[in-house]
Amino acid sequence: MSVSGLPPYDPQNIFARILRGEIPCKRVHEDEFALAFHDINPLTPTHVLVIPKGEYVSAADFHANAGDAAIAGFWRAVGKVAKDLGLEGSGYRILSNMGPDGGQEVPHFHVHIFGGRRLGRMMPRE
Ligand code: AMP
């Protein structure tokens, strides 16, 4: 853990390797701030991941430590990707898992975009 309580960034995580081009991805969008690609194990007819270009472990790290331009650019990319995927009319869900309770598996901040069918309740009740 660093002094902030966040784990240090692991440059060998799978999304870092995708950003460096060491592992292929099915890319749907790339700009100066973000890369978007199809999830390898889709949970819905459309399931795309958007990741920032910078090295941020999680949502907490990104929102505390990224610059204003990086945050704005990233979230604009999320909106553009959802629109370009044709999801605005039918709707979609964006989600980011953070840390152990959030079930985050890959330690590079990412947002899931889910769509293509009725998604039901936000989360099952306990
Ligand atoms: P999370 O639990 O939010 O960390 O989700 C990580 C997501 O990354 C999962 O939905 C995985 O299916 C997805 N994933 C893992 N490896 C890859 C990969 N090489 N390409 C695309 N998606 C991946």
Side-chain angles (χ1 to χ4, degrees):
M1 284 298 167
S2 70
V3 283
S4 69
L6 294 167
Y9 185 80
D10 171 12
Q12 294 308 321
N13 80 75
I14 196 134
F15 293 170
R17 300 188 66 200
I18 286 174
L19 277 172
R20 291 196 296 267
E22 295 168 9
I23 292 177
C25 70
K26 287 173 65 183
R27 184 172 56 187
V28 297
H29 172 81
E30 183 165 13
D31 62 33
E32 120 181 58
F33 299 108
L35 173 68
F37 51 92
H38 289 279
D39 196 291
I40 204 166
N41 186 20
L43 299 176
T44 50
T46 301
H47 182 175
V48 163
L49 301 169
V50 189
I51 69 175
K53 290 272 177 91
E55 297 184 345
Y56 302 100
V57 175
S58 63
D61 187 16
F62 182 69
H63 294 114
N65 298 317
D68 291 354
I71 292 174
F74 174 78
W75 284 105
R76 281 196 199 285
V78 172
K80 176 174 167 45
V81 167
K83 182 174 185 176
D84 291 351
L85 289 167
L87 297 175
E88 273 194 357
S90 50
Y92 57 89
R93 181 170 294 161
I94 57 178
L95 177 146
S96 182
N97 296 316
M98 156 54 196
D101 277 3
Q104 182 178 357
E105 292 172 0
V106 179
H108 180 113
F109 172 52
H110 52 282
V111 164
H112 298 253
I113 302 176
F114 298 108
R117 65 166 168 80
R118 292 294 166 111
L119 297 170
R121 295 191 73 88
M122 186 164 58
M123 192 168 296
R125 290 194 187 281
E126 298 259 305

